[in-house]
Amino acid sequence: MSALAETFCTFIVRQTDARSARVIDFDKLSGGAIQDNFGLTLELEGGSRPGRQEFVVRQDAPSGVTESLSRPEEFRLLQAAFSAGVTAPEPLWMCENPDVSGRVFYVMTRAAGSASPRKLVKANFTNKQRRNIVRRLGTELARLHTVRPPQQALEFLPLPHLDNPALSRVALYRRYLKEIGEPHPVLEWALNWLEDNAPEPGPTVLCHCDFRTGNYMMDGDELTAVLDWEFAAWSDPCEDLGWLCCRSWRFGADDREVGGIGDKKDLLDGYREASGIDLDPSAVRYWEVMALVRWAMIALQQARRHMSGEQRSLELALTGRMVAQMEFDLLNQIGELEEGQ
């Protein structure tokens, strides 16, 4: 047994008051380019959770990106989403003492299935299954968006500046681009377009801000968990839908607008049926452009983590090389929107 597995096991024993525990399986999970995720299966004797239990331990990575929340903040967000009925892992225990494992971490339940985006996009779903999956994604977002400020447990989340989440995002990404210190004329042009074409804001709600294929678990055609809450923020509801529909998250299935799975109409229908709210498709398209700019900013920050020596990683370095594709997509997508006006 690894020392880290033993550390997490001892922590869980204390939280559950188990008499004893046996580690059945422990491994580092795939994904998690921002944070480290570990799967831990225990056989617990006695206590509050006896028997075979499957957990995920989410721990700080050696370095982070500017947008990412802390693990304690992420834990409270997960609690809020779980309480709102979102199909999220149940948040169990938070450990803010870095002396326990060397870093801050929390423990949540482990969901069945796979989050692999390429597997999901290539899955042999029927048309009916695809419609049902996409409607379910709309339902999940509608549930999440019932959480609105003020929320005492989420007081660490700042409200959007300028009373407009879109303009607040534009100002933030201008600052990020200045801090990166490299010329990116396409991104600068796209930010100008976003500022000039900002729609009227919707209600301010809790947004996941990384709700996409690859960040939810599927067991067959059933959604089992929405993952990775570290970018959540108060924003416009359309930000979440635009991010999910962004071209970058279709993984080659470009004709399926919603994460490479299905059609945007079904997503909007699922959202409306769960919330009673009709979202403006043109506002969603605007936030798709914003999503490309934001993803480009994150990719540049990821590359800097590698290039600065903070966290040497081929994956981080290659992420930075994807910016050119995002810029190409921005030129095409804004051009299409301009032609359609």
Side-chain angles (χ1 to χ4, degrees):
M1 183 195 313
S2 74
L4 194 56
E6 180 66 33
T7 295
F8 293 145
C9 178
T10 300
F11 173 80
I12 291 172
V13 166
R14 290 173 180 167
Q15 300 303 310
T16 60
D17 291 324
R19 289 189 298 274
S20 64
R22 179 170 62 90
V23 176
I24 298 173
D25 191 32
F26 178 73
D27 61 328
K28 187 172 182 179
L29 302 178
S30 60
I34 309 287
Q35 307 303 333
D36 290 335
N37 299 308
F38 301 93
L40 177 63
T41 303
L42 301 178
E43 184 71 35
L44 296 174
E45 183 179 346
S48 60
R49 302 182 75 94
R52 184 187 177 101
Q53 302 288 332
E54 295 189 5
F55 303 106
V56 170
V57 182
R58 187 163 168 85
Q59 180 172 257
D60 282 345
S63 67
V65 298
T66 305
E67 271 196 270
S68 180
L69 298 169
S70 69
R71 301 295 68 68
E73 292 169 340
E74 187 179 313
F75 185 77
R76 291 199 287 277
L77 281 161
L78 191 55
Q79 288 177 317
F82 189 79
S83 297
V86 178
T87 307
E90 181 181 2
L92 297 173
W93 310 290
M94 180 75 229
C95 180
E96 297 189 56
N97 182 359
D99 293 336
V100 174
S101 73
R103 295 181 193 144
V104 172
F105 68 89
Y106 66 84
V107 183
M108 55 187 163
T109 55
R110 184 171 185 173
S114 171
S116 170
R118 286 168 181 79
K119 287 182 180 178
L120 292 176
V121 167
K122 293 179 181 179
N124 190 27
F125 295 127
T126 66
N127 289 335
K128 182 178 180 180
Q129 286 173 316
R130 291 186 182 279
R131 287 195 297 272
N132 289 340
I133 292 168
V134 171
R135 282 174 176 264
R136 174 65 180 276
L137 296 176
T139 297
E140 294 294 325
L141 287 176
R143 290 173 181 169
L144 175 62
H145 295 167
T146 62
V147 182
R148 302 188 179 191
Q151 296 281 332
Q152 185 175 358
L154 304 180
E155 60 185 5
F156 56 87
L157 290 178
L159 289 169
H161 297 302
L162 310 172
D163 296 322
N164 188 319
L167 294 178
S168 181
R169 287 293 194 188
V170 169
L172 178 65
Y173 301 151
R174 287 193 191 282
R175 178 164 62 83
Y176 285 172
L177 197 55
K178 184 177 180 180
E179 290 171 354
I180 289 166
E182 300 171 0
H184 287 279
V186 173
L187 298 181
E188 294 169 6
W189 171 73
L191 285 167
N192 289 339
W193 184 92
L194 288 165
E195 184 171 4
D196 292 341
N197 292 274
E200 286 297 315
T204 299
V205 302
L206 182 60
C207 287
H208 183 283
C209 295
D210 201 12
F211 191 94
R212 61 174 176 83
T213 303
N215 278 345
Y216 55 83
M217 297 280 289
M218 297 287 297
D219 190 8
D221 63 348
E222 289 295 323
L223 186 143
T224 58
V226 178
L227 309 173
D228 290 350
W229 293 83
E230 66 195 303
F231 294 130
W234 299 122
S235 191
D236 187 296
C238 289
E239 176 164 9
D240 270 340
L241 282 85
W243 185 257
L244 175 59
C245 295
C246 176
R247 293 186 185 189
S248 297
W249 309 126
R250 298 177 193 175
F251 299 96
D254 290 338
D255 57 322
R256 301 178 197 143
E257 295 174 295
V258 183
I261 304 296
D263 297 332
K264 194 184 299 181
K265 180 181 182 302
D266 291 317
L267 178 70
L268 294 171
D269 286 348
Y271 191 96
R272 183 187 65 251
E273 289 168 6
S275 67
I277 298 172
D278 267 315
L279 294 177
D280 182 358
S282 66
V284 176
R285 288 193 292 272
Y286 170 90
W287 281 98
E288 289 177 50
V289 176
M290 185 75 79
L292 282 167
V293 172
R294 176 174 170 237
W295 179 213
M297 297 296 175
I298 294 173
L300 289 169
Q301 290 175 341
Q302 294 285 62
R304 283 166 63 89
R305 289 168 69 190
H306 167 79
M307 294 172 65
S308 69
E310 286 183 278
Q311 185 176 354
R312 290 293 186 184
S313 164
L314 179 60
E315 181 181 3
L316 295 178
L318 291 175
T319 300
R321 302 289 290 177
M322 297 166 61
V323 173
Q325 178 64 54
M326 299 168 212
E327 292 176 332
F328 179 77
D329 288 340
L330 277 166
L331 292 169
N332 285 330
Q333 189 150 348
I334 293 176
E336 291 170 5
L337 292 174
E338 290 291 310
E339 290 175 6
Q341 289 181 353

